[in-house]
Amino acid sequence: MNREPVFEAVGLQKNFGGVAVADNITLALYAGDRVALIGPNGAGKTTFVNLVTGNVAPSAGKVRLAGKDVMAESPAMRVRRGLVRTFQLTRLFQRMTVAEHVALAILQREGRTGRLVGNFRAMPNVLAEMREILATLDLSLVADRLVCELGYGQQRLVEIALALALKPKVLLLDEPTAGVPAGETARLESALDQLPPDLAVLMIEHDIDLVFRFARRVVVLDAGAVIFDGQPGDAAASAQVRRVYLGNFTDARHPA
Amino acid sequence: MQTILSVAIDALAYGMILFLISIGLSVTMGLMRVVNLAHGAFAMIGGYFASYAMSALGLGYGLAIVLAVTATVIIALPLERFLYRRIYGAPELTQVLMTIGVTFCIIGITNYLFGPTLKTVPLPPDLAGSTDLGFRTISNHRLFAIACGLMVAAGLWLLFSRTGFGIKLRAVVDNAAMAASLGVRTQWVYAAAFAISVALAALGGVIGAELLPIEPYYALRYMVTFLVVVSVGGAGSIPGALLACLLLGAIETAGRYLAPEYGEFFFYLAVIAIVSIFPRGLLGRAN
Amino acid sequence: MTVLENEAETAHKQGAMRLVAAPMLLLTLAIAGYFLFPDNLALLTRIIAISLLVLSIDLVTGICGVATLGQAAMFGAGAYAAGIGAAHFGITDPLAMTVVGAFGGALAGLLSGLVMLRAHGLPQLVLSIAVVHLFHEAANKASRWTGGSDGLTGITPSPLLGLFDFDLWGRTAYIYGVFLLLLTFVALRVIVSSPFGMLCRGIGEDATRIEAMGGDVRGTMLKMFVIAGFVAGTGGALGAISTQVVGLDTLSFALSAEALVMLVLGGAGSLYGALTGTVTFMWLEDVISAANPFHWMTIVGALLIAAVLFAPRGLYGAVEELAARIWGRR
């Protein structure tokens, strides 16, 4: 590939008391990528996300966004460069409405959250964008409800709405379907399908069926190290991946 | 040189008394994760009991200490059961408010029962005398306080690192549900830890009564000092608390000798500097 | 888009309506106070000054989620700034004194913020206490400027707008106080619902989440500290103007703690809660502590415990809930 990666992790290393939870991880994402990061529990998937976002400082290694080394930058600065994550357990503002969540994210992206006057409800362009995002995710009807009144599936959608409102270039989805009742995953999946095509997406996911439907590339992590990076079909065929996953792949369908 | 040594001795005695009282708070805050602003109130209750036992019941110093500690724990246990148990794991602000409330109530009730005057805890003849150190004399009581502080530090260290109770307590703090499933009676462990903390407060309150005199506003007056010790030392760390007490005792005592007109200005300046540089305290553990 | 613009327009008007309705209610209460307690205007003015302090704590604690026991540092800084300006530099115009006080408070807010934002949780609380003590000791030491423990005297505000003398009964001071409170209240309502206010509420709930949205948590909080200092400083200046003395008690830990208690009893996180708490607390205090100050302590303690256990959203929150339940049943 000649294009420049929008995101690169180079040799990321993190040791906790002699144990490597991230072991020399190197990974690049390109615009439009749909990559699934999989691995058994404790393989270091969420740690990898935390290292990349800057919430945990790595022992060694680099993170580059669009070619720029961002190791010296705060988590917030990286977000402003377009590196956005969602959380495995939803972290939303319980006393805010869905609309307020999305509006806050839009205003934050536009650098307008420093303003002491004005209300987003009186800002036509913010309202328009908010409506559009909520409509895409089927959240229009609950726009004025407090997040704590929503079901868990809808809360996960709000997480995605927040991420979309930030207009990321790289989106890290940490188990977007974890804890979502079976009946509500379809809605979530179609939301994933509608993500902007030029967005680079890295999704941590345990649901192998979803991984095969969504991802065009699979990265397998075990004991903090990348043991596979390639086509989903090859991952299913790899003996090493099978060993790590104890046969989880046997009934997995191949991607269309 | 003489002055320096002299200041050092006073600082040591003062620091040890601070340690005696504060270490219990460090246990509650570090191990039980409860910000107990009423800690000083329990020290004060101990002082009142000792004073009462000696003046009204005519008991000796040693017996008075035992009675004061026991009685304070007896008062504290129902409070733990009905109030504190409801704020374990609650946000800090909630804990602060509840325990300020407890403090206010204790101050109000104490004043109603005993009046606003200072209460003394008379010293037995052995402790009232003084010992000549060559360059100055030091009251035996201060030597006694220093010895008590060192003994408490050693005893606590043994209790928490060398006994089954210490292990259980740390297990409960780290994961209450898991500890419970392993058969640890978590509520009992919490109550016991709370009782230990209150007992230490009462002990310190009685022994420290010479330097921190017993009166109803005691609970409020020294609340901040004890809090400061714990956060400078690092909540839950026994050596940290010891270090903080000695350091703060030194700063406070030196300030009083060298620049009395500045009051506690340098004391608080030091607190700000230390906590800014070590937000978890001098020997606090990282999360 | 025109629909949206219309909607935005309506929202704007509704917002404006609500902005006007609340101050009208406050104004009505203030006028009622004037006629019901004509002999107690000094107390009412003090309640207003403390209200500004409690509102300022609400910004930091209720909105941004930072517990503080040192907010009086900003209140006292405002009071001393206004007082020193009047006593030593001849700035006796009450409006100018208020501005000086507000900026004095804002500066103290900036300093408090710079110190407090170094830590989290308990150490942060301890830093807040250390800051107010530091201010207190500094003011005590600088007695040439502050009068030390005797208090700062010689503050004689000139007539308000050159027309209204600060009379013995405190009428002018009260009316000026009501005006300041209304102005502050409206300004804070605007700020709380602004994009900045939303960001602050988000920080109060989950600062890490705000960071993950690209928000500058520290900078935003620091700004809020400065605003809070401005508000508390205004309160301090009002105190200096109305009582014409400034004492060290304006810079005390006790005042900080008391004001936090007022906020919590009233309901943290809501501007109405802050006002409800201050008025209720200070009125009760005036009545009860006149009889016996220690009974007052017992009662406040019991109220605090009760609030934590049974009404975590304070008096205002409890009333709101009750009202919602009654309306809901209809």
Side-chain angles (χ1 to χ4, degrees):
Chain A
M1 253 180 267
N2 288 329
R3 296 176 298 155
E4 195 187 346
V6 287
F7 166 92
E8 276 176 291
V10 185
L12 275 187
Q13 185 84 27
K14 180 70 188 176
N15 303 320
F16 276 127
V19 181
V21 286
D23 191 1
N24 196 19
I25 300 179
T26 295
L27 182 68
L29 297 176
Y30 297 84
D33 263 359
R34 294 288 183 273
V35 179
L37 180 65
I38 62 174
N41 281 325
K45 302 183 296 285
T46 298
T47 304
F48 173 69
V49 171
N50 285 330
L51 288 173
V52 163
T53 54
N55 289 102
V56 174
S59 317
K62 273 192 173 39
V63 174
R64 282 197 281 262
L65 293 176
K68 163 98 172 81
D69 183 348
V70 295
M71 291 317 287
E73 292 184 356
S74 68
M77 274 304 294
R78 299 183 197 193
V79 174
R80 279 174 243 164
R81 285 188 186 279
L83 177 69
V84 173
R85 72 172 297 183
T86 65
F87 287 86
Q88 191 175 0
L89 299 166
T90 54
R91 286 180 83 156
L92 299 168
F93 310 110
Q94 299 301 316
R95 286 177 297 177
M96 282 194 200
T97 65
V98 174
E100 283 175 316
H101 276 82
V102 178
L104 181 58
I106 295 170
L107 290 163
Q108 175 59 45
R109 182 196 80 218
E110 293 179 340
R112 292 207 274 169
T113 42
R115 290 197 178 185
L116 295 177
V117 289
N119 186 317
F120 76 92
R121 290 181 209 283
M123 301 176 186
N125 52 345
V126 173
L127 280 183
E129 190 180 339
M130 180 189 88
R131 296 275 157 78
E132 197 186 314
I133 291 172
L134 291 181
T136 323
L137 296 170
D138 241 5
L139 288 169
S140 305
L141 289 177
V142 293
D144 290 320
R145 296 267 288 276
L146 293 176
V147 158
C148 58
E149 301 167 350
L150 301 185
Y152 198 69
Q154 278 182 321
Q155 292 198 13
R156 301 239 60 141
L157 287 171
V158 177
E159 276 270 342
I160 293 175
L162 269 192
L164 287 181
L166 294 168
K167 288 209 174 140
K169 297 191 179 73
V170 182
L171 178 60
L172 309 172
L173 296 167
D174 196 351
E175 298 198 27
T177 65
V180 176
E184 295 178 42
T185 48
R187 180 57 259 175
L188 206 61
E189 260 192 66
S190 82
L192 296 177
D193 287 340
Q194 290 170 47
L195 292 175
D198 59 340
L199 176 64
V201 184
L202 178 79
M203 176 171 74
I204 295 178
E205 187 51 65
H206 276 298
D207 180 348
I208 293 299
D209 285 345
L210 175 59
V211 165
F212 276 81
R213 281 197 298 275
F214 174 80
R216 294 192 283 269
R217 184 177 140 208
V218 171
V219 176
V220 186
L221 214 56
D222 182 39
V226 174
I227 60 165
F228 178 87
D229 185 345
Q231 302 282 317
D234 299 338
S238 153
Q240 197 182 6
V241 174
R242 279 168 176 278
R243 204 176 327 114
V244 167
Y245 254 90
L246 296 169
N248 264 4
F249 276 100
T250 41
D251 58 354
R253 286 167 294 170
H254 281 231
Chain B
M1 194 60 203
Q2 203 106 328
T3 330
I4 295 177
L5 275 174
S6 200
V7 172
I9 293 281
D10 279 345
L12 181 64
Y14 178 68
M16 277 309 194
I17 284 165
L18 276 189
F19 175 76
L20 269 178
I21 306 178
S22 318
I23 186 61
L25 182 60
S26 186
V27 169
T28 1
M29 294 208 307
L31 300 178
M32 299 165 68
R33 312 253 160 87
V34 177
V35 182
N36 182 15
L37 295 191
H39 191 76
F42 292 118
M44 177 182 86
I45 294 177
Y48 270 101
F49 272 120
S51 164
Y52 180 78
M54 292 181 79
S55 61
L57 306 180
L59 296 181
Y61 192 65
L63 267 181
I65 290 182
V66 174
L67 181 111
V69 170
T70 319
T72 311
V73 170
I74 290 175
I75 287 185
L77 282 178
L79 291 178
E80 194 274 339
R81 171 65 186 81
F82 294 107
L83 295 181
Y84 284 84
R85 199 169 283 183
R86 305 180 65 159
I87 54 167
Y88 292 148
E92 253 139 36
L93 183 61
T94 308
Q95 299 181 340
V96 164
L97 293 166
M98 157 86 87
T99 54
I100 286 189
V102 171
T103 311
F104 281 3
C105 283
I106 291 177
I107 293 176
I109 294 168
T110 309
N111 183 69
Y112 179 71
L113 295 176
F114 296 99
T117 51
L118 281 182
K119 291 280 179 278
T120 54
V121 181
L123 294 173
D126 287 346
L127 293 183
S130 52
T131 305
D132 194 350
L133 295 177
F135 59 95
R136 64 165 284 182
T137 57
I138 179 170
S139 75
N140 290 343
H141 171 258
R142 294 196 174 188
L143 288 176
F144 176 64
I146 294 173
C148 283
L150 291 175
M151 265 159 32
V152 165
L156 275 182
W157 179 77
L158 281 177
L159 178 68
F160 287 127
S161 57
R162 290 295 144 93
T163 66
F165 175 74
I167 295 167
K168 277 184 195 165
L169 179 58
R170 272 178 287 149
V172 170
V173 169
D174 283 342
N175 191 336
M178 177 67 88
S181 72
L182 291 174
V184 177
R185 286 153 70 191
T186 56
Q187 294 194 331
W188 191 90
V189 171
Y190 265 108
F194 191 78
I196 291 173
S197 149
V198 167
L200 289 170
L203 177 70
V206 179
I207 296 176
E210 289 277 296
L211 277 119
L212 315 178
I214 302 296
E215 40 96 24
Y217 272 111
Y218 180 108
L220 210 54
R221 184 156 306 165
Y222 303 111
M223 169 197 277
V224 171
T225 315
F226 305 145
L227 263 186
V228 162
V229 166
V230 175
S231 53
V232 166
S237 159
I238 297 168
L242 197 56
L243 185 61
C245 286
L246 295 179
L247 194 63
L248 294 174
I251 294 169
E252 165 104 21
T253 313
R256 228 179 295 149
Y257 271 85
L258 305 174
E261 72 278 15
Y262 279 93
E264 294 186 301
F265 184 83
F266 291 110
F267 178 80
Y268 285 107
L269 196 62
V271 169
I272 290 177
I274 296 173
V275 179
S276 297
I277 299 168
F278 304 97
R280 288 179 217 288
L282 290 170
L283 296 178
R285 280 163 300 179
N287 281 348
Chain C
M1 279 315 271
T2 46
V3 179
L4 269 180
E5 266 159 21
N6 273 342
E7 206 172 317
E9 184 71 15
T10 323
H12 196 71
K13 276 185 192 151
Q14 278 176 348
M17 285 270 285
R18 253 182 278 148
L19 274 183
V20 176
M24 290 313 283
L25 180 68
L26 274 182
L27 191 62
T28 315
L29 288 175
I31 293 171
Y34 184 90
F35 288 108
L36 287 176
F37 307 100
D39 302 328
N40 248 344
L41 290 183
L43 172 69
L44 295 187
T45 311
R46 181 163 167 75
I47 291 181
I48 292 175
I50 301 294
S51 293
L52 292 170
L53 170 61
V54 176
L55 281 171
S56 139
I57 300 183
D58 202 12
L59 296 180
V60 171
T61 303
I63 311 265
C64 287
V66 173
T68 169
L69 282 169
Q71 203 80 355
M74 309 178 194
F75 182 81
Y80 274 108
I84 290 172
H88 295 285
F89 298 100
I91 305 171
T92 54
D93 178 70
L95 295 178
M97 282 175 75
T98 310
V99 171
V100 171
F103 277 98
L107 186 64
L110 179 68
L111 290 175
S112 298
L114 285 173
V115 170
M116 282 178 66
L117 295 175
R118 298 277 311 166
H120 297 282
L122 174 76
Q124 191 172 48
L125 195 69
V126 167
L127 283 178
S128 74
I129 299 171
V131 166
V132 73
H133 274 294
L134 198 68
F135 274 58
H136 183 274
E137 298 299 309
N140 191 22
K141 177 67 180 70
S143 55
R144 213 166 72 78
W145 291 100
T146 61
S149 50
D150 298 333
L152 175 63
T153 49
I155 304 165
T156 38
S158 51
L160 186 62
L161 303 172
L163 297 172
F164 308 101
D165 265 320
F166 283 90
D167 51 312
L168 217 54
W169 301 275
R171 285 191 204 126
T172 311
Y174 177 66
I175 293 168
Y176 183 53
V178 168
F179 163 78
L180 279 183
L181 181 65
L182 285 178
L183 199 68
T184 310
F185 189 80
V186 173
L188 291 186
R189 292 261 310 205
V190 169
I191 290 176
V192 167
S193 64
S194 72
F196 171 77
M198 264 165 69
L199 188 65
C200 286
R201 279 192 286 144
I203 290 174
E205 284 205 46
D206 187 345
T208 313
R209 190 68 181 92
I210 288 292
E211 224 163 45
M213 289 166 68
D216 173 10
V217 171
R218 198 167 170 280
T220 306
M221 299 245 261
L222 202 55
K223 197 161 153 188
M224 196 52 138
F225 266 94
V226 173
I227 295 172
F230 198 88
V231 172
T234 308
L238 175 63
I241 293 168
S242 61
T243 59
Q244 313 195 351
V245 276
V246 180
L248 282 175
D249 57 323
T250 56
L251 276 174
S252 65
F253 167 67
L255 179 61
S256 307
E258 227 172 55
L260 179 69
V261 169
M262 293 182 211
L263 173 64
V264 170
L265 289 182
S270 140
L271 299 179
Y272 293 110
L275 294 184
T276 313
T278 318
V279 173
T280 317
F281 183 99
M282 292 192 67
W283 176 70
L284 276 177
E285 182 183 30
D286 189 60
V287 174
I288 298 170
S289 75
N292 181 332
F294 285 95
H295 283 326
W296 169 237
M297 282 208 100
T298 316
I299 291 170
V300 173
L303 282 177
L304 260 180
I305 296 173
V308 169
L309 295 182
F310 308 114
R313 285 178 57 228
L315 207 56
Y316 180 72
V319 170
E320 213 179 30
E321 224 159 85
L322 196 70
R325 215 176 284 173
I326 293 169
W327 290 178
R329 272 202 200 128
R330 278 223 200 137

